[in-house]
Amino acid sequence: VGPMGVGKSTVGRLLAERLGVAYRDTDDDIVAAQGRTIAEIFADEGEDAFRTVEKAAVHKALAEHDGVLALGGGAVLDAGTRALLAGLPVVFLDVDAGEAVRRIGRDPGRPLLAGDPRRRWRALAEARRPLYTQVARAVVDTTGRAPAGVVEAVLAALAPRATHV
């Protein structure tokens, strides 16, 4: 989980490959099921309608998929989704605003960033940060890191810790 531009899709694919499991992205599921882009759903029906579709896609993916799953940045807004994530090995990928906006650019497919992308990204990320933290077993900062390095950090963060008796 994490905000837009943090690298969820890129890192997720590499992590799945490294672990020898399947990769799935709920944003891709939504686009395939709806036959239109997320930006089009936002434009045609608004954010509330999109969140309803997103919730269904996330719940379906969590029930069906046992590999690496990347969720859209706003998926954690739903309390039911957060409840389903409880106890799972969820990683919150974080990044600073400047790098996120550089990665995303002025992507017209990111309707929540219209206008002032840096200001909008920062506001969204800060508002959602407590929710990302709530569901995460670990937090990995992707700022200034290559995707392969982030994968290594995720694996280290999720590795079982030795206990001493």
Side-chain angles (χ1 to χ4, degrees):
V1 299
M4 293 175 265
V6 76
K8 296 182 300 287
S9 297
T10 301
V11 170
R13 281 186 194 91
L14 291 172
L15 182 61
E17 182 178 305
R18 174 78 181 273
L19 294 172
V21 299
Y23 169 76
R24 186 166 174 176
D25 185 317
T26 58
D27 283 350
D28 293 343
D29 290 352
I30 292 166
V31 170
Q34 295 289 310
R36 54 195 170 143
T37 68
I38 290 171
E40 290 169 332
I41 298 168
F42 265 80
D44 295 345
E45 299 175 40
E47 183 174 1
D48 289 344
F50 171 76
R51 295 293 171 211
T52 299
V53 170
E54 179 180 52
K55 175 183 175 179
V58 170
H59 289 219
K60 183 175 193 246
L62 286 169
E64 296 175 353
H65 184 72
D66 62 357
V68 175
L69 180 64
L71 304 185
V76 296
L77 295 171
D78 177 67
T81 295
R82 292 193 307 275
L84 289 174
L85 293 172
L88 296 177
V90 176
V91 177
F92 165 24
L93 296 182
D94 202 1
V95 69
D96 74 34
E99 187 159 332
V101 173
R102 278 191 302 280
R103 290 177 184 178
I104 296 167
R106 294 201 173 266
D107 182 351
R110 310 271 187 177
L112 291 177
L113 297 183
D116 182 348
R118 182 182 297 257
R119 183 182 60 74
R120 302 277 315 240
W121 185 93
R122 190 169 291 152
L124 285 170
E126 289 309 312
R128 295 172 180 174
R129 182 172 306 283
L131 302 176
Y132 296 138
T133 302
Q134 176 188 340
V135 301
R137 184 177 296 174
V139 178
V140 173
D141 191 339
T142 69
T143 305
R145 288 175 129 163
V150 175
V151 168
E152 292 303 322
V154 167
L155 291 170
L158 292 178
R161 305 230 179 359
T163 57
H164 295 86
V165 181

